[in-house]
Amino acid sequence: MMTTSSMVNSLLLPIFACALLVATLSAAAAGSFNNDFDITWGDGRAKILNNGQLLTLSLDKASGSGFQSKSEYLFGKIDMQLKLVPGNSAGTVTAYYLSSQGPTHDEIDFEFLGNLSGDPYTLHTNVFTQGKGNREMQFKLWFDPTKDFHTYSVIWNPQQIIFMVDGTPIRVFRNLETRGVSFPKSQAMRIYSSLWNADDWATRGGLIKTDWNNAPFTASYQGFNADACVWIGGGSRCSGAGTWMDYEMDVTSQKRMSSVQSNYMIYNYCTDRKRFPQGLPTECTIN
Ligand SMILES: *[C@@H]1O[C@H](CO)[C@@H](O)[C@H](O)[C@H]1NC(C)=O
């Protein structure tokens, strides 16, 4: 069992270390896709346009496409605006996520599962810590995500990970290390995104296949902003600090999150008792 003072130390030390880094270093956040990202696959299907202000991914029968951030981040508030594949997007998946590398990697996922015209997209989220995921929560959205750009954000600090849609928190994963749940806090993550064909499972569990007559499918990105700590050569350079680094949801934000979860959540691993017959994961049993 942990003594009270070692618990306090293990909570305060990382926060203190980060505050020091934040106080001594700062970096500019604004940029362009040319400066911040590399196109990693798709053989010309991913394009950076408008002087670096717009990025498009496309998917056709031969291939999807993807990009990744040049930088690795360890904590931050990371915003990206996405406009998803319009029309009949069934079978397509647009993945947007942060991930570290290796078998014990950490990962923070947004995945957008396409649908038939008029049927709602599913926003699928997950959190991996130390290589272990199985923490899916799925939502419908309260708008058509294919008509306009909407902002999908992650606030990741030593206390919690918050998923946000247009500034509304939809999900939080708290740091419950003191209760034996691992939390991503020491492995830097890159940002990744890809558009690919997953018609073996994505839409109504794989029942509805991609209609290649509609190809190429295109998703668009703009307005990237990272107020974050950039991990460089074993050290961290932070920007926009003081706001996100110790951000906690206030009562209003918590109410907005509860309202989204009761109105738009369509799957929650924390209530799936059939899936966890030996008992729900620890983080699900702590308020
Ligand atoms: C697609 O639409 C159907 C019908 O509304 C719905 O059941 C399903 O959850 C939607 N999303 C996916 C990814 O299949």
Side-chain angles (χ1 to χ4, degrees), residues 113-115 119-122 140 202-205 266:
L113 316 185
N115 219 331
D119 281 348
Y121 260 82
T122 295
K140 284 182 192 174
T203 307
R204 294 208 200 175
I266 53 176

Side-chain angles (χ1 to χ4, degrees), residues 88-166:
N88 179 357
S89 59
T92 73
V93 171
T94 305
Y96 171 70
Y97 60 102
L98 279 79
S99 182
S100 62
Q101 294 187 356
T104 59
H105 77 290
D106 301 321
E107 194 176 312
I108 303 168
D109 289 335
F110 282 104
E111 277 190 305
F112 301 90
L113 316 185
N115 219 331
L116 293 169
S117 302
D119 281 348
Y121 260 82
T122 295
L123 169 52
H124 173 99
T125 64
N126 203 354
V127 175
F128 283 70
T129 62
Q130 295 292 309
K132 196 183 136 301
N134 298 324
R135 299 192 175 98
E136 299 85 357
M137 289 190 188
Q138 295 185 336
F139 302 83
K140 284 182 192 174
L141 294 164
W142 49 94
F143 50 82
D144 179 350
T146 72
K147 270 190 96 168
D148 297 298
F149 284 94
H150 290 270
T151 306
Y152 303 90
S153 309
V154 171
I155 295 182
W156 171 31
N157 66 28
Q159 300 82 248
Q160 67 220 305
I161 294 163
I162 302 171
F163 292 74
M164 292 178 138
V165 177
D166 289 332

Side-chain angles (χ1 to χ4, degrees), residues 40 91 123 137 158 169 202 258 285:
T40 44
L123 169 52
M137 289 190 188
S258 306
T285 65

